[in-house]
């Protein structure tokens, strides 16, 4: 076949023009668009469109200005052009923000120039994104505002129904875009917007993250102040109950099916007496102590159901006696570990709640005295926690209350008659040296407590000041309380912006950390109230006795300083939402301080009588002791001889009254008055759970009347549990209090007071805030059931987790014979006897030497 050359036409050997240059320039555009370039109009249009998009992508302001102003390119400019994704020229320019930060200003001018030339800023791409959507993520606030003022609507939605604000604040605000979010939100609100779906979700998530952050800070501060290990808080990421949406419903609080499960083997754990020691070791002795871990209590309860409903009373007795002894041995051996004490108190309370509420086993447990044993255990560990708090407060009390001077500069010029003038400079140096030690903990270390003491911190003995009242030892029961007139001191204001010294801040930090620990551990709220009542009673007694027995505090200047420090302690009680009755324990200290401040100014007999009548919390012996050892300032007035003689006569009359009271106490038994006081105290505790009663109505138990000079700090106020066992599972309502454990200067006193108003319990004016957790405390973890499943369809071998050794047993198949209906025991919950639980001095070893089904007597505990 012959090719005809003429059929091919003329050949063009010129290169194809570059209509898509990578980096177009003004000179290139001028040459390409000139009449001599030889480009067709369609080629020139394609070149201008490509160069225009490249100028927007690179933010080349000079090229963009040339294209928009050159008469050769203007006929081919199309500002409504889109790329393959539907992006407009404005969007292309915006997407380049941040890639080259030095060109962002020039890029912003490109966007402004395009809008000025008539480019549409409201058009959306294929995904529904407008220029404002892209600008909200990438552009500065000035350009975002410019777009909204030139037609871009903040309500424009993408195909996924997202506004620009939703994109910036989808879950959390994008880093560095807070000002953009605020600008968009204000623009939308100015047009009547009240918040959208994504905005509500974002705020809820932000609040949740902030709450978790506060919870973490609270745990860290509490651990720092109390020296806790991180294992105590566990590895669970669940919300720690700072909101009230996780509490049981009102109907669940009194659901009898919840408290008394159906009589089948799904509501009990089978066991044998031979393995009790291993079970106690795994469940109690070596169990991991963690916050709100009620698995030991629920395990012992399900074992008690098995013993009571399918076995006999001996099984139940072995279980309860052995478990209570193991619990006591645990916290006796770890008395300095506050987490262990709180763990034992929480589980003992839950165990008592579970057993008392179960109608199927209630009667059998009551006949064996199981409830009384559990109440003794609760009282014992309760006392150990009190002793822990007292030991820590004893280390801080002098520096925080007695020696701390909030306004030291105002008292530096005070001179006493007993001081020699030439020795005063040396005493001032000594005082400044003793006030400078750091009472905090060393850096990179945790605070430690002193070794365990079997008794309380030492208080001045009444024997040093005179004969004590004759009182029989057998009558010093926790149930005995004597009523005293309730007085309130008006010498100091309730609220005052008193500057806190280092010692005072250390004390309030410890008190707040301990209160927070008890709250987060979900200790029953009435136990917490009675705990702080006892601690404040002891603190008041110690402050009172130390003031009265140390002459350096018996002066009006020291009394004023101590009074200001006492205001901080009273404000702490109010800030924590505790009943104001707890602060009434400080009334004797208040009266003593008022007496020290006014005794030197009493020159009239009638004034003395009127003053004594207002101070009903201190007796004539204490008043006379303060007058006798009082340190007079230079040129300070003195009490007249007539007034002193009257005080001496009152002292003699009081001593005769004290002897009379002592003789009567030898013959006295608990009569109707004491029974009425016990009933009143129990009724007051029950009213705390009644939301129609204010917690301000609660009053602490009264201590016995003081007949000598010193207060009895060793006296234990009676502990009462609620009459309704269903509220034993109640937990205090938690609220985040920022600043727990912060060092001085971290926050001001005013801020501390304002934030702590939203504390663990609401203010004193309303009812006690509590929540029912009866359903949650009955949940059994799967790990608990791994080693207690006894009823198998075939013989299987399992390992019981025992600390330090492997324990294996083989159990044959045990067929179930007979029905379950004949095993049901239907009894009513007996009426709860009102009484205060006695104090346990040491591990009771109730099963010491007693034969059980295990076969061998339990080994006695030696001390």
């Amino acid at each position: 076949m012959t090719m005809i050359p003429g059929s091919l036409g003329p050949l063009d050997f010129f290169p194809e023009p570059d209509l898509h240059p990578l980096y177009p320039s003004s000179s290139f555009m001028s040459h390409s668009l000139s009449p001599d370039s030889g480009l067709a109009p369609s080629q020139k249009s394609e070149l201008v469109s490509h160069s225009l998009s490249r100028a927007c992508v690179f933010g080349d302001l000079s090229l963009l200005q040339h294209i928009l102003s050159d008469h050769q390119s203007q006929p081919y400019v199309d500002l409504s052009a889109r790329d393959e994704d539907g992006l407009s020229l404005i969007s292309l320019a915006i997407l380049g923000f941040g890639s080259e930060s030095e060109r962002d200003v020039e890029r912003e001018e490109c966007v402004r120039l395009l809008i000025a030339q008539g480019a549409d800023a409201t058009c959306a791409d294929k995904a529904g994104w407008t220029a404002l959507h892209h600008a909200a993520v990438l552009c500065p606030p000035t350009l975002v505002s410019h777009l909204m003022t030139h037609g871009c609507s903040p309500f424009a939605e993408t195909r996924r129904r997202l506004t620009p604000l939703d994109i910036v604040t989808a879950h959390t605000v994008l880093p560095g875009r807070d000002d953009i979010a605020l600008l968009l939100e204000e623009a939308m609100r100015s047009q009547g917007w009240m918040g959208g779906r994504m905005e509500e979700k974002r705020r809820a998530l932000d609040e949740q993250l902030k709450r978790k952050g506060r919870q973490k800070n609270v745990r860290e501060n509490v651990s720092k102040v109390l020296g806790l290990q991180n294992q105590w808080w566990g590895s669970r990421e669940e919300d720690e109950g700072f909101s009230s949406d996780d509490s049981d419903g009102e109907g669940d609080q009194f659901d009898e099916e919840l408290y008394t499960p159906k009589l089948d083997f799904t509501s009990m754990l089978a066991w044998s007496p031979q393995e009790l020691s291993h079970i106690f070791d795994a469940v109690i002795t070596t169990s991991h102590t963690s916050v709100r871990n009620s698995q030991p209590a629920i395990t012992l309860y399900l074992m008690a159901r098995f013993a009571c409903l399918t076995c006999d009373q001996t099984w139940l007795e072995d279980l309860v006696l052995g478990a209570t002894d193991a619990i006591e041995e645990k916290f006796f051996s770890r008395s300095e570990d506050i987490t262990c004490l709180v763990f034992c108190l929480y589980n003992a309370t839950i165990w008592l709640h579970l057993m008392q509420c179960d109608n199927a086993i209630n009667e059998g447990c009551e006949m064996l005295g199981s409830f009384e044993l559990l109440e003794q255990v609760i009282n014992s560990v309760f006392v150990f926690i009190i002793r822990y708090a007292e030991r820590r407060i004893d280390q801080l009390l002098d520096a925080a209350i007695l020696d701390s001077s909030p306004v030291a500069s105002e008292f530096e010029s005070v001179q006493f008659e007993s001081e020699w003038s030439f020795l005063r400079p040396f005493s001032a140096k000594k005082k400044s040296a003793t006030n400078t030690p750091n009472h905090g903990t060393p850096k990179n270390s945790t605070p430690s407590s002193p070794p365990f003491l079997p008794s309380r911190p030492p208080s001045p003995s009444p024997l040093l000041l005179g004969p004590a009242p004759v009182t029989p030892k057998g009558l010093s029961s926790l149930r005995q309380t004597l009523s005293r007139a309730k007085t309130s001191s008006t010498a100091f204001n309730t609220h005052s912006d008193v500057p806190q010294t280092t010692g005072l801040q250390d004390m309030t930090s410890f008190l707040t950390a301990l209160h927070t620990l008890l709250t987060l551990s979900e200790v029953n709220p009435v136990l917490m109230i009675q705990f702080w009542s006892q601690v404040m009673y002891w603190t008041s007694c110690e402050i009172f006795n130390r003031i009265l027995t140390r002459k350096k505090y018996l002066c009006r200047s020291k009394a004023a300083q101590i009074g200001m420090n006492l205001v901080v302690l009273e404000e702490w009680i109010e800030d924590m939402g505790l009943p104001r009755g707890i602060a009434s324990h400080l009334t004797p200290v208040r009266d003593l301080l008022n007496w020290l401040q006014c005794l030197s100014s009493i020159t009239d007999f009638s004034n003395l009588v009127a003053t004594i009548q207002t101070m009903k919390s201190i007796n004539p012996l204490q008043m006379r002791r303060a007058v006798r050892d009082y340190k007079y300032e230079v040129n300070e007035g003195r009490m007249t001889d007539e007034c002193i003689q009257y005080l001496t006569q009152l002292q003699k009359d009081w001593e005769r009254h004290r002897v009379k009271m002592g003789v009567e106490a030898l013959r006295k038994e608990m009569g109707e008055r004491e029974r009425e006081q016990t009933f009143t105290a129990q009724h007051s505790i029950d009213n705390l759970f009644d939301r129609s009663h204010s917690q301000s109505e609660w009053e602490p138990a009264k201590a016995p009347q003081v007949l000598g000079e010193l207060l009895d700090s060793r006296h234990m106020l009676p502990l009462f549990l609620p009459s309704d066992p269903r509220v034993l599972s109640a937990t205090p309502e938690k609220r985040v209090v920022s600043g727990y454990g912060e060092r001085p200067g971290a926050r001001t006193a005013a801020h501390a007071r304002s934030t702590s108003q939203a504390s663990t319990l609401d203010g004193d004016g309303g009812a006690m805030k509590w929540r029912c957790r009866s359903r949650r405390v009955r949940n059994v973890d799967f790990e608990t059931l791994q080693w207690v499943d006894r009823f198998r369809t075939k013989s299987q071998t399992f390992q019981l987790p025992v600390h330090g050794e492997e324990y294996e047993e083989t159990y044959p198949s045990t067929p179930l014979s007979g029905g379950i209906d004949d095993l049901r025991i239907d009894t009513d919950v007996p009426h709860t006897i009102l009484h205060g639980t006695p104090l346990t001095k040491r591990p009771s070893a109730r099963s010491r030497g007693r034969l059980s089904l295990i076969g061998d007597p339990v080994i006695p505990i030696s001390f």
Side-chain angles (χ1 to χ4, degrees):
M1 182 176 180
T2 303
M3 181 71 66
I4 302 176
S7 63
L8 296 177
L11 298 177
D12 187 6
F13 292 99
F14 288 95
E16 185 73 20
D18 186 7
L19 301 180
H20 299 86
L22 185 60
Y23 298 104
S25 62
S26 300
S27 58
F28 175 78
M29 293 294 298
S30 299
H31 174 72
S32 300
L33 296 177
S34 64
D36 301 332
S37 62
L39 295 180
S42 60
Q43 292 178 322
K44 291 181 179 181
S45 177
E46 183 179 355
L47 175 61
V48 171
S49 178
H50 171 76
S51 300
L52 188 60
S53 64
R54 298 298 289 179
C56 293
V57 169
F58 292 113
D60 192 343
L61 180 61
S62 60
L63 177 60
L64 183 61
Q65 289 175 339
H66 174 80
I67 296 175
L68 296 177
S69 61
D70 185 30
H71 68 280
Q72 297 180 3
S73 61
Q74 282 182 349
Y76 306 106
V77 172
D78 182 12
L79 295 179
S80 62
R82 309 285 188 91
D83 65 359
E84 60 275 8
D85 295 324
L87 294 171
S88 64
L89 295 177
I90 296 178
S91 298
L92 288 175
I94 291 175
L95 289 175
F97 272 93
S99 58
E100 293 178 310
S101 58
E102 65 275 2
R103 299 181 63 91
D104 284 350
V105 176
E106 187 176 356
R107 188 177 295 277
E108 183 176 349
E109 292 301 322
C110 290
V111 176
R112 293 176 182 270
L113 179 59
L114 290 171
I115 295 176
Q117 292 295 325
D120 186 9
T122 62
C123 59
D125 57 18
K126 294 181 178 180
W129 285 52
T130 64
L132 187 58
H133 286 87
H134 297 292
V137 180
L138 300 171
C139 294
T142 55
L143 187 54
V144 173
S145 178
H146 185 77
L147 289 172
M148 288 191 293
T149 57
H150 287 78
C152 289
S153 173
F155 295 98
E157 294 183 349
T158 65
R159 295 181 61 181
R160 300 182 63 183
R161 302 183 59 188
L162 298 176
T163 64
L165 181 61
D166 293 336
I167 294 174
V168 178
T169 61
H171 297 288
T172 58
V173 179
L174 294 178
R177 311 306 291 176
D178 299 87
D179 49 354
I180 300 296
L182 180 60
L183 181 62
L184 292 171
E185 184 176 348
E186 291 300 324
M188 298 173 70
R189 291 190 183 278
S190 64
Q191 302 181 34
W193 179 75
M194 302 300 295
R197 173 178 52 86
M198 290 299 299
E199 196 267 348
E200 293 178 358
K201 289 184 178 180
R202 178 190 62 82
R203 291 188 180 276
L205 183 59
D206 285 346
E207 183 61 30
Q208 182 181 2
L209 293 177
K210 291 179 181 179
R211 184 169 62 247
K212 288 185 177 181
R214 291 194 298 263
Q215 294 171 12
K216 182 179 179 182
N217 293 334
V218 166
R219 292 192 296 265
E220 291 177 352
N221 289 330
V222 171
S223 300
K224 180 180 179 181
V225 175
L226 300 180
L228 309 183
Q229 299 295 328
N230 293 331
Q231 292 80 359
W232 164 254
W233 305 110
S235 58
R236 292 175 294 181
E237 296 294 336
E238 63 179 9
D239 187 3
E240 300 224 351
F242 284 87
S243 60
S244 59
D245 56 355
D246 56 350
S247 60
D248 294 346
E250 292 290 336
D252 293 338
Q253 298 181 21
F254 308 105
D255 186 4
E256 291 300 332
E257 294 184 0
L258 175 66
Y259 296 122
T260 306
K262 295 181 179 179
L263 191 57
D264 53 33
F265 289 105
T266 62
S267 61
M268 61 182 69
L269 296 178
W271 52 278
S272 65
Q274 290 74 20
E275 62 183 6
L276 269 182
S277 60
H278 298 283
I279 294 177
F280 293 154
D281 183 68
V283 175
I284 301 175
T285 306
T286 62
S287 62
H288 174 64
T289 57
S290 60
V291 63
R292 304 188 311 276
N293 178 18
S294 61
Q295 291 307 302
I298 185 65
T299 301
L300 295 174
Y301 161 66
L302 295 179
M303 294 174 63
R305 277 183 59 86
F306 174 77
C308 189
L309 300 179
T310 64
C311 305
D312 55 19
Q313 293 184 353
T314 307
W315 285 52
L316 179 62
E317 188 176 8
D318 281 344
L319 173 65
V320 175
L321 289 176
T324 52
D325 284 345
I327 295 173
E328 284 190 343
E329 292 173 9
K330 182 182 180 70
F331 65 77
F332 263 89
S333 61
R334 300 171 60 181
S335 58
E336 284 298 316
D337 187 356
I338 184 61
T339 58
C340 176
L341 300 178
V342 173
F343 177 78
C344 293
L345 177 63
Y346 175 69
N347 276 275
T349 307
I350 296 300
W351 189 18
L352 179 62
H353 157 75
L354 295 173
M355 296 183 66
Q356 281 188 332
C357 292
D358 193 338
N359 290 341
I361 65 174
N362 184 289
E363 184 177 2
C365 295
E366 182 71 26
M367 293 176 58
L368 291 177
S370 302
F371 298 154
E372 294 182 1
L373 294 180
L374 289 178
E375 290 175 357
Q376 292 179 14
V377 171
I378 293 173
N379 189 88
S380 299
V381 68
F382 181 79
V383 171
F384 269 73
I385 299 176
I386 292 174
R387 296 293 189 266
Y388 170 85
E390 291 172 354
R391 290 192 296 272
R392 291 291 299 270
I393 295 175
D394 180 64
Q395 300 173 358
L396 305 170
L397 193 58
D398 287 350
I401 304 297
L402 301 178
D403 297 329
S404 176
S405 180
V407 285
S409 59
E410 299 183 8
F411 297 97
E412 289 179 353
S413 60
V414 175
Q415 300 178 3
F416 298 98
E417 292 181 352
S418 58
E419 291 183 356
W420 291 0
S421 59
F422 71 90
L423 292 178
R424 192 169 296 116
F426 299 97
S427 62
K429 292 181 180 180
K430 181 179 180 182
K431 183 182 300 183
S432 62
T434 56
N435 290 337
T436 54
N438 183 14
H439 301 280
T441 57
K443 187 177 181 181
N444 299 328
S445 63
T446 56
S448 59
S449 299
F452 170 71
L453 301 175
S455 60
R456 292 170 178 256
S459 178
S461 174
L463 297 178
L464 299 177
L465 303 170
V470 182
T471 305
K473 182 177 181 181
L475 297 179
S476 59
S477 171
L478 296 177
R479 306 178 185 178
Q480 294 181 352
T481 56
L482 299 175
S483 60
R484 291 184 298 171
K486 180 181 178 182
T487 60
S488 59
S489 174
T490 58
F492 301 96
N493 295 329
T494 305
H495 292 281
S496 173
D497 292 333
V498 179
Q500 296 189 18
T501 59
T502 303
L504 194 57
Q505 287 177 341
D506 288 341
M507 183 170 180
T508 55
S509 295
F510 166 74
L511 296 177
T512 307
L514 183 56
H515 182 78
T516 308
L517 174 64
L518 297 176
T519 303
L520 296 182
S521 302
E522 297 187 351
V523 175
N524 194 282
V526 298
L527 293 181
M528 292 177 56
I529 290 176
Q530 294 179 89
F531 167 78
W532 287 116
S533 177
Q534 178 66 50
V535 170
M536 289 303 164
Y537 168 77
W538 177 89
T539 303
S540 175
C541 293
E542 286 296 314
I543 295 175
F544 186 95
N545 294 343
R546 297 182 190 189
I547 293 175
L548 197 60
T549 56
R550 301 177 185 177
K551 293 185 178 181
K552 64 178 181 178
Y553 301 132
L554 296 177
C555 59
R556 62 183 182 183
S557 59
K558 273 294 183 181
Q561 296 179 28
I562 296 174
M564 287 187 289
N565 295 330
L566 210 61
V567 168
V568 178
L569 197 59
E570 293 172 341
E571 288 181 350
W572 180 89
I573 296 174
E574 180 180 355
D575 292 342
M576 292 298 104
L578 297 170
R580 66 169 61 99
I582 295 178
S584 66
H585 291 303
L586 302 174
T587 303
V589 180
R590 279 291 180 206
D591 285 353
L592 178 60
L593 296 177
N594 293 339
W595 176 248
L596 291 175
Q597 291 185 89
C598 69
L599 67 88
S600 61
S601 61
I602 298 178
T603 57
D604 184 57
F605 179 76
S606 59
N607 292 339
L608 174 63
V609 175
T611 302
I612 292 177
Q613 290 178 351
T614 60
M615 300 180 180
K616 299 181 180 180
S617 296
I618 55 178
N619 59 44
L621 291 180
Q622 297 163 345
M623 294 181 180
R624 186 68 181 89
R625 172 70 180 267
V627 173
R628 185 188 68 193
D629 297 338
Y630 186 79
K631 289 179 60 177
Y632 288 92
E633 301 174 6
V634 176
N635 298 326
E636 183 180 2
R638 293 177 180 270
M639 187 178 293
T640 61
D641 294 339
E642 180 184 12
C643 294
I644 294 178
Q645 291 177 0
Y646 179 74
L647 277 179
T648 304
Q649 184 61 39
L650 283 180
Q651 178 184 0
K652 295 179 181 178
D653 295 342
W654 184 262
E655 289 177 348
R656 288 193 293 267
H657 172 71
R658 184 174 67 173
V659 174
K660 179 181 178 181
M661 291 293 295
V663 173
E664 292 179 355
L666 292 175
R667 307 171 183 175
K668 187 177 181 181
E669 295 182 357
M670 189 173 182
E672 290 296 329
R673 183 178 180 182
E674 285 71 23
R675 292 191 181 94
E676 181 180 355
Q677 291 178 351
T678 301
F679 176 81
T680 302
Q682 182 67 61
H683 185 67
S684 180
I685 289 293
D686 295 335
N687 283 342
L688 287 174
F689 290 100
D690 188 351
R691 292 185 170 93
S692 63
H693 289 267
S694 173
Q695 67 173 356
S696 60
E697 302 175 4
W698 177 84
E699 293 184 3
K702 299 296 188 301
Q705 186 180 17
V706 179
L707 302 178
E709 291 183 348
L710 299 184
L711 303 183
D712 185 11
S713 62
R714 296 167 295 180
H715 175 75
M716 286 295 300
L717 302 176
L719 172 64
F720 292 95
L721 299 177
S723 301
D724 188 354
R726 292 173 294 188
V727 297
L728 280 174
S729 64
T731 62
E733 188 176 58
K734 309 180 189 67
R735 303 203 187 281
V736 175
V737 182
S738 60
Y740 281 171
E742 291 183 0
R743 301 301 303 165
R747 59 172 185 166
T748 61
H751 175 69
R753 190 176 303 116
S754 63
T755 54
S756 58
Q757 292 290 344
S759 181
T760 313
L761 301 173
D762 277 358
D764 186 62
M768 182 182 71
K769 301 299 181 181
W770 60 278
R771 290 174 293 171
C772 180
R773 292 296 184 87
S774 299
R775 186 174 300 277
R776 201 196 69 177
V777 298
R778 285 166 169 78
N779 295 333
V780 185
D781 292 344
F782 176 74
E783 292 77 7
T784 306
L785 301 176
Q786 286 182 334
W787 53 272
V788 292
D789 187 5
R790 294 296 183 267
F791 295 96
R792 307 275 186 162
T793 57
K794 60 180 180 179
S795 177
Q796 296 187 10
T797 302
F798 70 96
Q799 292 187 355
L800 189 67
V802 180
H803 179 71
E805 63 175 340
E806 297 292 336
Y807 180 79
E808 297 188 2
E809 286 190 11
T810 302
Y811 288 85
S813 175
T814 307
L816 299 178
S817 59
I820 303 178
D821 295 336
D822 56 343
L823 300 177
R824 178 176 296 276
I825 301 177
D826 189 8
T827 59
D828 296 329
V829 180
H831 178 68
T832 305
I833 300 176
L834 304 179
H835 65 279
T837 55
L839 170 63
T840 303
K841 297 292 185 181
R842 56 184 299 175
S844 59
R846 287 172 286 267
S847 57
R848 182 176 299 164
R850 169 183 165 277
L851 291 177
S852 67
L853 294 178
I854 301 177
D856 296 326
V858 178
I859 301 176
I861 304 173
S862 60
F863 292 89

